[in-house]
Amino acid sequence: MAKVKKQPRPKALPPKGFRDYFGEDVAERKEMLDRIAAVYHRYGFEALESSAVETVEALGKFLPDVDRPNEGVFAWQEDEKDWLALRYDLTAPLARVYAQYRNDLPTPYRRFAMGPVWRNEKPGPGRFRQFYQCDADTVGSASMAADAEICAMLADTLETVGIPRGDYIIRVNNRKVLNGVLEVMGLEEGPARDDVLRTIDKFDKVGEAGVRELLGKGRLDASGAYIDGVGLSVDQAEPVIAFLTSKAADTAGTLANLRAAVGDSVTGKEGIAELEQIADLLAAQGYGPDRIEIDPSVVRGLGYYTGPVYEAELTFEITDEKGRKQQFGSVAGGGRYDDLVKRFTGQAVPATGISIGVDRLLAALRAKGRTAGKSLGPVVVTVMDRDRMADYQAMVAELRNAGIRAEVYLGNPKNFGNQLKYADKRNSPVAVIEGGDEKERGVVQIKDLVLGAKIAENATLEEWKSLPSQYEVPRGDLLAKVREIIALHEGG
Amino acid sequence: MAKVKKQPRPKALPPKGFRDYFGEDVAERKEMLDRIAAVYHRYGFEALESSAVETVEALGKFLPDVDRPNEGVFAWQEDEKDWLALRYDLTAPLARVYAQYRNDLPTPYRRFAMGPVWRNEKPGPGRFRQFYQCDADTVGSASMAADAEICAMLADTLETVGIPRGDYIIRVNNRKVLNGVLEVMGLEEGPARDDVLRTIDKFDKVGEAGVRELLGKGRLDASGAYIDGVGLSVDQAEPVIAFLTSKAADTAGTLANLRAAVGDSVTGKEGIAELEQIADLLAAQGYGPDRIEIDPSVVRGLGYYTGPVYEAELTFEITDEKGRKQQFGSVAGGGRYDDLVKRFTGQAVPATGISIGVDRLLAALRAKGRTAGKSLGPVVVTVMDRDRMADYQAMVAELRNAGIRAEVYLGNPKNFGNQLKYADKRNSPVAVIEGGDEKERGVVQIKDLVLGAKIAENATLEEWKSLPSQYEVPRGDLLAKVREIIALHEGG
């Protein structure tokens, strides 16, 4: 007889870089997204849930002569024909949807979207290949009022989810102003301009002095490696530095500095006028620079966007796992991008929007204690007599019908200790016990597990005696007593 | 100069079999899933959101010697190593998660999950390759109380989302009873048994007479093709027929018929005892056969499950697009499967659960008019004077702060007709108008668009005159008047 090769057991693991979310983690994220959606909805934005899978052609990330799509997305070929891929963000699908439905959708089209996106990148600690995004965009409006609205909505959103005013700042910059600066420098197109753009992108990390060095001869970086500079003279580099450091004590001052930086550039002046319009519109609605400010040092995304750029930063400090204090940093960003739909239709369609980093914002709320935290688990009705399961089921039904989360123990009831361990693992506030004796006497035992745990931890013998954590009540009082105990602990 | 080949524009379409969901469709589904989640939560089930991507190995659908995974899932190979795939249901990931976290999870583990799954199947009308599932399962309990609980929870869920009692029935069968019948027939293993199982699966379609023919010589099917039968004699086929038609006027009668059908089979008797336990537990909680009944004619899934099998059917008629009345049919199904986790750990873990067909249930609710339907859109503040955008933004801010959904028109304001057309497309209840003249006089014009549309459609000239749909109010009364109009239409 041929020997049958035994199949090895599959590993019980998700693919590298993927993870699962349990119970409270799912609930907390849902709670936050629901609150965000309510704000977006109030602002007139409509939900859109696009397909998770797109054609690679529609995503537009790949060269036509590449046999297999580049890294960055998860893609596969269908029947030796089309390449399909998981969406890597929510903006590319929006462009496809808008191009597809442009005759049916209202113009401007305000839409929000929330859901997972996938990146085929090297996973690392805290870096996952599937994560949530939460976007709001206005397609089809060139008005700065659309940008101002997005910024105001972002401020409202942050406050609604639990970031108090003063703990965040939304900073606004404009790509056109930078273009004006580059124009003044005579760097309108070509490799030198791209080098300058790339250098500006490092401003967050290396600061003013670092950017000065990188625009000039070069810089010794922290690792000891020497990074070649762009090779501009000190004078040549000056407009870029002036731009990046033009933030003044108030908006008028900042705008004056920017005007000096862009000189006669038409594009530059246009960008400054846009920033001024946004600031005026926001001021009229009461969004002052304590919440939303013009800040030319915001460089993230300046290379990608075509007009205003926004970034929301949390300004409070958190303590990291090593006990060091650090600023929380960016939780959302966005800007105006006017070319996205053009790939499909040939017509440029103005668009502007933001994306919230869901996991980062959630982490911030947790760090500030703004999430509900570990909530009470269900009441557990224990099984003392397996033939009377119907009695126990009737108890949980009674509790549930009163809106109380409750369950009967469904494991092997033989070992009562296991039932209490289970209740503990479930974070149950209350265990209900009805043995044969109780049944006969028409009573139930109700164990206050929260109080029981506290007593077990801290109480002196006297307290332990004076603080009973188990009550015998008539069966008819089950609901009332359980309710009383839960109310006590939910309050605390 | 070399001619640059122009890239054709990408098609603005999702891949075949995929679709997008807009506004109300997203909101309606979310509303339904939120209600379902609330019931599951009250029953003590915990949310689980597992990774959308699994290793093909963990999904376990493919033979090891197949170079490329079979049809059925979307799969791709990572770096010439592991095959990854999109999950095709929520049960296979549950098995992986339970095996992975079994030492940390409570036992039994009650979990619910809702989210998209993907099937690499041929798309057709109304058949999509990405759709939602909504599951609840209890892992680690062999007790029939777990099965009874799932059935009760399913009944509560259907009523909570808006299917009234009497409009649904949950039917329960048991694979072990069928096994008992096959045992009595001497068909315990082998091809003949599989033939009988396949034939039973057609009971839904061909009925009792059809199954009789198919168990015997064969049958001329509707298309005119002759289907060969299993070849049993009339006597041999009798126990199967007796099993399928054993439903009596009440549970006791049905169980008595089943007892006759399984004779001395130990497995068969065990299955009947399980059905009896489920019925008793449900009766004790007040779930009678008007909601959940024992019905051996339920064959869907009998081949897959190992014990009790459940199916929820909607019993009301709907009218299809051709005006024909038809029963709505099944919206949820499930059962007990005791081998799922074994692949990973070597140990059999009892499990039981249901899956709700989200799109079917949503379609049923729509057919019954139980969804919110088309809701009012946002208030649209029109732009009469583009320099006063800040004034208009202040109006929408005022409305939003009062909880009213509102937006300013962000398109080109030149053509006022376009602004009203936009408001119409947005299903706006109210348009607000403030031109220079109104501004000077301190008033705003408020247009009741719902009433306006009604008048335009139906009114006589007299009514039209007596029912003004546009009001001039002091600017200070904007909020009050808008509120009044919205309240009027939301009530109606």
Side-chain angles (χ1 to χ4, degrees), chain A residues 445-458:
Chain A
Q445 302 289 339
I446 298 181
K447 221 173 150 61
D448 180 335
L449 298 173
V450 181
L451 185 58
K454 271 189 206 154
I455 293 175
E457 253 177 46
N458 305 315

PDB file of all heavy atoms in Angstrom, chain A residues 445-458:
ATOM      1  N   GLN A 445     -28.848  33.522  44.298  1.00  0.00           N
ATOM      2  CA  GLN A 445     -27.666  34.191  44.842  1.00  0.00           C
ATOM      3  C   GLN A 445     -27.128  35.128  43.762  1.00  0.00           C
ATOM      4  O   GLN A 445     -26.967  34.716  42.603  1.00  0.00           O
ATOM      5  CB  GLN A 445     -26.568  33.173  45.186  1.00  0.00           C
ATOM      6  CG  GLN A 445     -27.002  32.100  46.178  1.00  0.00           C
ATOM      7  CD  GLN A 445     -27.185  32.642  47.597  1.00  0.00           C
ATOM      8  OE1 GLN A 445     -26.644  33.698  47.947  1.00  0.00           O
ATOM      9  NE2 GLN A 445     -27.976  31.932  48.401  1.00  0.00           N
ATOM     10  N   ILE A 446     -26.854  36.363  44.152  1.00  0.00           N
ATOM     11  CA  ILE A 446     -26.305  37.318  43.192  1.00  0.00           C
ATOM     12  C   ILE A 446     -24.962  37.804  43.693  1.00  0.00           C
ATOM     13  O   ILE A 446     -24.867  38.377  44.779  1.00  0.00           O
ATOM     14  CB  ILE A 446     -27.280  38.487  42.980  1.00  0.00           C
ATOM     15  CG1 ILE A 446     -28.584  37.922  42.385  1.00  0.00           C
ATOM     16  CG2 ILE A 446     -26.673  39.535  42.060  1.00  0.00           C
ATOM     17  CD1 ILE A 446     -29.621  38.960  42.113  1.00  0.00           C
ATOM     18  N   LYS A 447     -23.927  37.543  42.912  1.00  0.00           N
ATOM     19  CA  LYS A 447     -22.568  37.843  43.321  1.00  0.00           C
ATOM     20  C   LYS A 447     -22.103  39.115  42.616  1.00  0.00           C
ATOM     21  O   LYS A 447     -22.117  39.192  41.385  1.00  0.00           O
ATOM     22  CB  LYS A 447     -21.670  36.676  42.899  1.00  0.00           C
ATOM     23  CG  LYS A 447     -20.629  36.281  43.923  1.00  0.00           C
ATOM     24  CD  LYS A 447     -19.915  35.021  43.483  1.00  0.00           C
ATOM     25  CE  LYS A 447     -18.499  34.997  44.003  1.00  0.00           C
ATOM     26  NZ  LYS A 447     -18.390  35.019  45.466  1.00  0.00           N
ATOM     27  N   ASP A 448     -21.735  40.110  43.386  1.00  0.00           N
ATOM     28  CA  ASP A 448     -21.187  41.353  42.834  1.00  0.00           C
ATOM     29  C   ASP A 448     -19.699  41.118  42.580  1.00  0.00           C
ATOM     30  O   ASP A 448     -18.884  41.160  43.492  1.00  0.00           O
ATOM     31  CB  ASP A 448     -21.414  42.500  43.828  1.00  0.00           C
ATOM     32  CG  ASP A 448     -20.863  43.824  43.313  1.00  0.00           C
ATOM     33  OD1 ASP A 448     -19.935  43.806  42.472  1.00  0.00           O
ATOM     34  OD2 ASP A 448     -21.360  44.878  43.762  1.00  0.00           O
ATOM     35  N   LEU A 449     -19.339  40.874  41.315  1.00  0.00           N
ATOM     36  CA  LEU A 449     -17.967  40.465  41.012  1.00  0.00           C
ATOM     37  C   LEU A 449     -16.988  41.641  41.064  1.00  0.00           C
ATOM     38  O   LEU A 449     -15.810  41.454  41.359  1.00  0.00           O
ATOM     39  CB  LEU A 449     -17.910  39.797  39.635  1.00  0.00           C
ATOM     40  CG  LEU A 449     -18.740  38.508  39.522  1.00  0.00           C
ATOM     41  CD1 LEU A 449     -18.764  38.022  38.083  1.00  0.00           C
ATOM     42  CD2 LEU A 449     -18.201  37.424  40.433  1.00  0.00           C
ATOM     43  N   VAL A 450     -17.466  42.835  40.781  1.00  0.00           N
ATOM     44  CA  VAL A 450     -16.588  44.004  40.823  1.00  0.00           C
ATOM     45  C   VAL A 450     -16.191  44.287  42.267  1.00  0.00           C
ATOM     46  O   VAL A 450     -15.011  44.418  42.604  1.00  0.00           O
ATOM     47  CB  VAL A 450     -17.284  45.232  40.198  1.00  0.00           C
ATOM     48  CG1 VAL A 450     -16.354  46.443  40.225  1.00  0.00           C
ATOM     49  CG2 VAL A 450     -17.730  44.937  38.774  1.00  0.00           C
ATOM     50  N   LEU A 451     -17.205  44.341  43.126  1.00  0.00           N
ATOM     51  CA  LEU A 451     -16.953  44.566  44.541  1.00  0.00           C
ATOM     52  C   LEU A 451     -16.130  43.413  45.120  1.00  0.00           C
ATOM     53  O   LEU A 451     -15.178  43.632  45.875  1.00  0.00           O
ATOM     54  CB  LEU A 451     -18.296  44.689  45.276  1.00  0.00           C
ATOM     55  CG  LEU A 451     -18.223  45.039  46.754  1.00  0.00           C
ATOM     56  CD1 LEU A 451     -17.486  46.354  46.965  1.00  0.00           C
ATOM     57  CD2 LEU A 451     -19.637  45.122  47.359  1.00  0.00           C
ATOM     58  N   GLY A 452     -16.484  42.196  44.712  1.00  0.00           N
ATOM     59  CA  GLY A 452     -15.776  41.013  45.183  1.00  0.00           C
ATOM     60  C   GLY A 452     -14.282  41.126  44.886  1.00  0.00           C
ATOM     61  O   GLY A 452     -13.434  40.842  45.729  1.00  0.00           O
ATOM     62  N   ALA A 453     -13.963  41.572  43.662  1.00  0.00           N
ATOM     63  CA  ALA A 453     -12.557  41.702  43.263  1.00  0.00           C
ATOM     64  C   ALA A 453     -11.860  42.779  44.085  1.00  0.00           C
ATOM     65  O   ALA A 453     -10.729  42.609  44.525  1.00  0.00           O
ATOM     66  CB  ALA A 453     -12.472  42.027  41.774  1.00  0.00           C
ATOM     67  N   LYS A 454     -12.567  43.895  44.300  1.00  0.00           N
ATOM     68  CA  LYS A 454     -11.992  44.982  45.100  1.00  0.00           C
ATOM     69  C   LYS A 454     -11.701  44.516  46.515  1.00  0.00           C
ATOM     70  O   LYS A 454     -10.638  44.791  47.073  1.00  0.00           O
ATOM     71  CB  LYS A 454     -12.979  46.159  45.169  1.00  0.00           C
ATOM     72  CG  LYS A 454     -12.799  47.158  44.031  1.00  0.00           C
ATOM     73  CD  LYS A 454     -13.658  48.391  44.298  1.00  0.00           C
ATOM     74  CE  LYS A 454     -14.013  49.068  42.993  1.00  0.00           C
ATOM     75  NZ  LYS A 454     -15.252  49.827  43.073  1.00  0.00           N
ATOM     76  N   ILE A 455     -12.681  43.834  47.095  1.00  0.00           N
ATOM     77  CA  ILE A 455     -12.514  43.362  48.468  1.00  0.00           C
ATOM     78  C   ILE A 455     -11.337  42.404  48.554  1.00  0.00           C
ATOM     79  O   ILE A 455     -10.471  42.515  49.425  1.00  0.00           O
ATOM     80  CB  ILE A 455     -13.809  42.674  48.962  1.00  0.00           C
ATOM     81  CG1 ILE A 455     -14.914  43.703  49.077  1.00  0.00           C
ATOM     82  CG2 ILE A 455     -13.566  41.970  50.291  1.00  0.00           C
ATOM     83  CD1 ILE A 455     -16.266  43.122  49.440  1.00  0.00           C
ATOM     84  N   ALA A 456     -11.290  41.476  47.589  1.00  0.00           N
ATOM     85  CA  ALA A 456     -10.226  40.480  47.598  1.00  0.00           C
ATOM     86  C   ALA A 456      -8.858  41.152  47.536  1.00  0.00           C
ATOM     87  O   ALA A 456      -7.886  40.689  48.128  1.00  0.00           O
ATOM     88  CB  ALA A 456     -10.393  39.526  46.419  1.00  0.00           C
ATOM     89  N   GLU A 457      -8.783  42.279  46.820  1.00  0.00           N
ATOM     90  CA  GLU A 457      -7.512  42.962  46.654  1.00  0.00           C
ATOM     91  C   GLU A 457      -7.097  43.756  47.889  1.00  0.00           C
ATOM     92  O   GLU A 457      -5.954  43.693  48.335  1.00  0.00           O
ATOM     93  CB  GLU A 457      -7.603  43.948  45.489  1.00  0.00           C
ATOM     94  CG  GLU A 457      -6.851  43.484  44.257  1.00  0.00           C
ATOM     95  CD  GLU A 457      -7.046  44.451  43.117  1.00  0.00           C
ATOM     96  OE1 GLU A 457      -6.928  45.671  43.347  1.00  0.00           O
ATOM     97  OE2 GLU A 457      -7.356  43.990  42.014  1.00  0.00           O
ATOM     98  N   ASN A 458      -8.040  44.562  48.408  1.00  0.00           N
ATOM     99  CA  ASN A 458      -7.640  45.616  49.341  1.00  0.00           C
ATOM    100  C   ASN A 458      -8.169  45.521  50.772  1.00  0.00           C
ATOM    101  O   ASN A 458      -7.601  46.136  51.672  1.00  0.00           O
ATOM    102  CB  ASN A 458      -8.104  46.985  48.818  1.00  0.00           C
ATOM    103  CG  ASN A 458      -7.591  47.230  47.419  1.00  0.00           C
ATOM    104  OD1 ASN A 458      -6.427  46.981  47.160  1.00  0.00           O
ATOM    105  ND2 ASN A 458      -8.456  47.668  46.540  1.00  0.00           N
TER     106      ASN A 458
END
